[in-house]
Amino acid sequence: MKWTLLMASLILMAGLSTASAQSDLDALRWKNRILVLFAPSADDPAFVRQSRTLLADREALAERELVVLGVAGDRVETLYGDPKARHEAAALRRHFGQAAASPFEAILIGKDGGVKWRRDAPFDIGGLNAVIDAMPMRRALR
């Protein structure tokens, strides 16, 4: 009986954490696209390189209504944008299937909340812009 209660509690907590990550992201739905950069630490070379590349063209980020979140280790930092919701690293990692020690990965979430693009290596902002510019909601504004 105790084992069953323990397992039920663990499953419920995992479900709440995943739901928490989704509700945090839902706060930005229909307002922003979200780019989440995952890395094992803030000094991961791919994470540092990608952050610098993105922040070098803030105008492109603003024009495409992007919020950029960095999930490095057990911390979440807003690298660009002003999200209204709190984000928890563990919940985001679970939601996207990322272990704390997982190597660099970037995930683009569209305004509708769906995953639109994933990369496991740093990329140039032109490639990201092309993906976003091809999205129906983005094309409708042009």
Side-chain angles (χ1 to χ4, degrees), residues 2 16 18 25 68 72 91 112 123 128 139:
K2 287 182 182 181
L16 290 175
T18 300
L25 297 175
V68 181
D112 65 357
F123 51 89
L128 175 66
R139 285 194 333 248

Side-chain angles (χ1 to χ4, degrees), residues 75-92:
R75 297 189 64 219
V76 178
E77 180 182 354
T78 301
L79 302 175
Y80 181 82
D82 184 27
K84 304 291 187 258
R86 263 186 74 231
H87 302 280
E88 294 179 23
L92 287 170

Side-chain angles (χ1 to χ4, degrees), residues 13-23 91 94-95:
M13 286 175 22
L16 290 175
S17 292
T18 300
S20 172
Q22 187 59 50
S23 66
R94 263 191 302 282
H95 184 73

Side-chain angles (χ1 to χ4, degrees), residues 17-26 29 34-38 69 71 76 87-100 102-103 105-110 113-118:
S17 292
T18 300
S20 172
Q22 187 59 50
S23 66
D24 289 346
L25 297 175
D26 284 347
R29 189 177 282 191
I34 307 163
L35 181 64
V36 186
L37 305 178
F38 288 99
L69 301 175
V71 181
V76 178
H87 302 280
E88 294 179 23
L92 287 170
R93 285 187 180 285
R94 263 191 302 282
H95 184 73
F96 291 107
Q98 296 287 319
S102 293
E105 185 170 16
I107 300 175
L108 175 65
I109 303 158
V115 173
K116 305 300 181 187
W117 191 70
R118 292 176 95 114

Side-chain angles (χ1 to χ4, degrees), residues 50-64:
Q50 189 63 75
S51 298
R52 285 184 184 151
T53 299
L54 290 168
L55 295 176
D57 194 352
R58 293 173 187 262
E59 187 176 312
L61 299 175
E63 181 181 329
R64 288 163 182 84

